[in-house]
Amino acid sequence: MNERNPLIMKLEQGAALSDEDRQRLRALTAGGKEVGADVDIILEGEAPNAVRLVMSGLACRYKALPNGRRSIMAYLVPGDFCDLHIAILGEMDHSISTLTPCTIVEISTQTVLELLQRPMLARALWWSTLVDESILREWLVNMGQRAASQQMAHLFCELLIRLQTVGLATENSFPFLLTQAELADTLGLTPVHINRVLQQLREDGFIVLKNHYLLIKDVPNLMDYAQFTPNYLHRRNNGGVTLKIT
Amino acid sequence: MNERNPLIMKLEQGAALSDEDRQRLRALTAGGKEVGADVDIILEGEAPNAVRLVMSGLACRYKALPNGRRSIMAYLVPGDFCDLHIAILGEMDHSISTLTPCTIVEISTQTVLELLQRPMLARALWWSTLVDESILREWLVNMGQRAASQQMAHLFCELLIRLQTVGLATENSFPFLLTQAELADTLGLTPVHINRVLQQLREDGFIVLKNHYLLIKDVPNLMDYAQFTPNYLHRRNNGGVTLKIT
DNA sequence: CGTAAACTTGAGAAATTTCAACCTGCGTGG
DNA sequence: CCACGCAGGTTGAAATTTCTCAAGTTTACG
């Protein structure tokens, strides 16, 4: 009870874990390595020999572009795997970098194979990669079909739910360490335009964003504005676990 | 040799199949069902009880949007699975529809589980879902960071390679049945703008698109223009298998 | 306090959308 | 066999969104 391990908190959403499953996961995730902000974890073209997992902080998947910009294709929050798949694909087709200081755990391929012997854990890991894929699809919809301010709002809603799942957001707020340039790389917009969009959202009373903290003033209202429906996150109890303000 | 089964041709790119593996796949893929164009195969919210596979024609994953438009997030070419994952996620977070008349094969969950007993087949199926995910990431880059005409060019390059893999494209051309409205739903642009972009590509001598057939006049040149690098498709021999003109 | 990174602002240029009209090919029913 | 009808494609012009460039301003932190 009162679980604080983000990996376990997340995987509970995908499968009914046993106490022993949880024990294994807890053992695995002890003693990660501290990494600073803006540090590359894995580079495109590499073929890593272990699986990595974010236990604290915020990281991202990205591709570096010929013109010097980069495209961020996913955020990795605590409990997210960097490269659960790479053993099969051979080489990374994208890079992973920290956005804030992070705790990264390395798990040997051997250990992963052991985990996969346990049916519920195998199912939970499968679930987690399928949810990652589902998020990619929703991002595609987001970028293709919504106005910039809606895209931004949608991203906020998604982060709220995902951080709630691992106990890092209250019911309507969470620490927000992303720079406007990073948001620009994510949504494929200009930093200047990101800036104006944020001001718009503030003026319209949707959010308060200051001191590296984001507060959503009326969550259902913002979700409505962003056309956000949480089904694509495949949570069992949507946002059921929220941080208690103490 | 001289394989013509698109599923087998594709999976060979992901793992070294044995003759028996191929036999199994051939048996599976016999006797699909013919379906017309613009027919929904699976709808968002459903929980299908079998896995479906496209054996001929072109289909797509899409989400219907509140404003009546739809967002196409993936094309399914012969050899592609519709829902290899759904047993774990519970319900579809998107729909699948044909774009042209298609042959669709249904495979029972039981049969899939049997396939997964064979290590190389399991690996090949894993590989195929990971490649699907990789394609989603590249589409995200495409929509976010490239000019409209480059996006279009990139899409053409990807389709060329993917259709070559299953023997449905020559070294520089393939049948092209997509409407401009469908392209618009894919790239998140307006049909009007798609029209102008296509004219641009024609004027610039990149492509000939008529009579439902696309010819790329200089493939390396178009790839360069689109910043297309095929690594994300994780093919063993990039575009090695091409249709012989007879 | 000084410096660099992050954020903000303004104005003009470019890309894309919107709306509305008009072609064109092609299959079907008369 | 022809004419009608319609889906798909094309065009023009104005409105809107987003970008670019260039110059401040603020904030974090050594």
Side-chain angles (χ1 to χ4, degrees), chain A residues 82-207:
Chain A
C82 296
D83 46 15
L84 199 45
H85 35 43
I86 198 58
I88 288 185
L89 282 186
E91 79 170 45
M92 290 291 287
D93 52 53
H94 63 280
S95 305
I96 296 179
S97 167
T98 60
L99 293 168
T100 70
C102 284
T103 310
I104 307 289
V105 168
E106 266 198 22
I107 307 177
S108 69
T109 310
Q110 177 57 34
T111 307
V112 173
L113 292 177
E114 284 171 28
L115 289 186
L116 292 175
Q117 301 299 347
R118 322 196 102 246
M120 273 305 148
L121 279 183
R123 189 187 178 89
L125 294 178
W126 235 135
W127 170 85
S128 104
T129 83
L130 293 176
V131 171
D132 287 350
E133 190 180 322
S134 177
I135 292 174
L136 281 172
R137 281 192 294 267
E138 186 63 27
W139 280 34
L140 220 37
V141 175
N142 201 33
M143 293 190 46
Q145 311 285 147
R146 290 193 257 261
S149 58
Q150 286 178 301
Q151 293 179 40
M152 192 87 248
H154 195 280
L155 186 55
F156 291 161
C157 293
E158 181 185 306
L159 282 173
L160 179 71
I161 302 282
R162 288 173 63 190
L163 290 173
Q164 279 176 351
T165 302
V166 293
L168 296 171
T170 74
E171 63 183 2
N172 63 357
S173 68
F174 53 91
F176 195 86
L177 286 309
L178 291 166
T179 67
Q180 295 183 0
E182 286 160 351
L183 289 171
D185 289 340
T186 305
L187 297 179
L189 300 170
T190 285
V192 171
H193 200 238
I194 291 288
N195 183 283
R196 302 201 230 253
V197 164
L198 285 175
Q199 289 180 51
Q200 179 82 53
L201 289 175
R202 281 189 271 236
E203 273 172 31
D204 292 350
F206 283 119
I207 60 166

Side-chain angles (χ1 to χ4, degrees), chain B residues 231-244:
Chain B
N231 66 316
Y232 74 96
L233 293 171
H234 294 277
R235 292 310 190 250
R236 227 177 234 183
N237 45 347
N238 276 307
V241 184
T242 60
L243 190 65
K244 290 284 171 12

Side-chain angles (χ1 to χ4, degrees), chain B residues 5-7 9-10 52-61 74-82 96-104 128 131-132 135 139 155 158-169 174-175 178 233 235:
Chain B
N5 185 303
L7 177 60
M9 294 176 83
K10 185 178 92 160
R52 286 174 190 79
L53 172 61
V54 178
M55 285 300 284
S56 81
L58 185 64
C60 70
R61 299 181 189 282
Y75 290 132
L76 303 178
V77 305
D80 287 342
F81 284 97
C82 296
I96 296 179
S97 168
T98 60
L99 293 168
T100 70
C102 285
T103 310
I104 306 289
S128 105
V131 171
D132 287 350
I135 291 173
W139 279 35
L155 186 55
E158 181 184 305
L159 282 174
L160 179 71
I161 302 281
R162 288 173 63 190
L163 290 174
Q164 280 176 349
T165 302
V166 292
L168 295 172
F174 53 91
L178 292 167
L233 293 171
R235 292 310 190 250

Side-chain angles (χ1 to χ4, degrees), chain B residues 24 108-119 121:
Chain B
R24 296 279 188 115
S108 71
T109 310
Q110 178 56 33
T111 308
V112 173
L113 292 177
E114 285 170 29
L115 288 186
L116 291 175
Q117 300 300 346
R118 323 195 100 248
L121 278 183

